[in-house]
Amino acid sequence: METLARAGYAARGVVYLLLGALALTSALWGGGSEDTSGALSGLLDLPFGRVLVGLIAFGLLGYVLWKLAQGLLDADGVGDDAKGVLARAGQLVSAGVNLFLMLTAARLAINGGGAGGGNGEEKASAWLIQQPFGPFLLGLVACGVLAAGAVQIWYGATDGYRKRLSLPHAHRSWMEKVCKFGLIARGVVLLIIGGFLFYAAWTVSPEHAGGTAEALDYVHSLPFGRWLYGLIALGLVAFGAYGLIEARYRSINAPSTARLKPA
């Protein structure tokens, strides 16, 4: 499980490094915003690109399994009190989000980018709205994403990430700055995405749902948008670096097999 978890953190880090780099390029020289699918698609043009994307998909599978272990088996030992249950629920939300990303990477590796595309968040929202109590369910998803964004901002601002990172003393100063900046930037992006989803649920209009690309475009439309856009793009690069740092220095406790046995 530890190997899968570390591979997962590394895979997520690579995706956000690519995404942030593409957004930063757009901020400097213009062009449209990319989402995570677009960032992964850029790898397909490299030698053995589909193999690379397939490896990322496998790594993300490990990350999803680790998040499930954190949420269902309390791998991090946060406990069963209200605070612990909330933290574990957040890990399950993260598992769902990254499952979507893993499936996107797997599709690209298999099809070479020749199928699918479009606004995945809009498609997923449209499917959910069509289910019984669909707008209510989408609203719950939106609340989960909003909560995840707020938690990431709080986690970065209060240095909560330090608890499970054993950083080398020689590099601790700059690594902590990178972790803090990356967490806050991605938290802001998640808040915007959650806002889109909530509005889509409120209006029962899935076309209002949006992902990272739409969140970045929204930031670009604000006053001083180009500067804010560049700052968020740099923050996504930092979040990608944070993923690589976690892959190397995070403490990972494999869940106890006793939790898998029936009582």
Side-chain angles (χ1 to χ4, degrees), residues 82-94:
K83 184 178 178 181
V85 168
L86 184 61
R88 291 167 64 181
Q91 302 297 356
L92 294 177
V93 171
S94 180

Side-chain angles (χ1 to χ4, degrees), residues 20 23-24 26-28 181 216 219-220 224-236:
L24 195 56
S26 176
L28 294 174
F181 182 34
L216 290 171
V219 170
H220 199 281
F224 305 101
R226 184 174 181 182
W227 295 100
L228 293 173
Y229 182 98
L231 187 65
I232 293 294
L234 192 59
L236 291 177

Side-chain angles (χ1 to χ4, degrees), residues 43-55:
L43 289 176
L44 295 175
D45 296 328
L46 299 177
F48 305 104
R50 289 171 69 172
V51 175
L52 292 174
V53 175
L55 290 174

Side-chain angles (χ1 to χ4, degrees), residues 15 35-41 44 53-54 56-57 60 97-113 115-118 120-121:
V15 171
D35 57 9
T36 48
S37 178
L40 288 168
S41 295
L44 295 175
V53 175
I56 288 175
L60 289 171
V97 171
N98 285 280
L99 176 62
F100 181 80
L101 180 56
M102 184 271 290
L103 292 174
T104 298
R107 174 183 58 79
L108 288 171
I110 294 171
N111 297 321
E121 290 77 13

Side-chain angles (χ1 to χ4, degrees), residues 116-210:
N119 189 338
E121 290 77 13
E122 180 179 332
K123 294 177 182 178
S125 298
W127 177 85
L128 192 57
I129 280 179
Q130 293 172 2
Q131 308 310 307
F133 306 102
F136 175 74
L137 294 176
L138 184 57
L140 287 180
V141 171
C143 290
V145 175
L146 287 168
V151 167
Q152 285 212 327
I153 293 173
W154 176 259
Y155 201 55
T158 62
D159 298 329
Y161 60 88
R162 290 181 179 176
K163 182 193 298 186
R164 303 193 185 281
L165 285 180
S166 300
L167 300 177
H169 183 75
H171 305 292
R172 182 174 300 164
S173 179
W174 70 263
M175 282 185 173
E176 288 183 346
K177 290 181 176 64
V178 166
C179 295
K180 180 188 291 285
F181 182 34
L183 282 164
I184 292 174
R186 186 171 182 252
V188 169
V189 171
L190 287 177
L191 287 179
I192 297 172
I193 294 173
F196 288 155
L197 292 173
F198 190 82
Y199 186 63
W202 182 263
T203 59
V204 198
S205 302
E207 64 271 13
H208 290 138

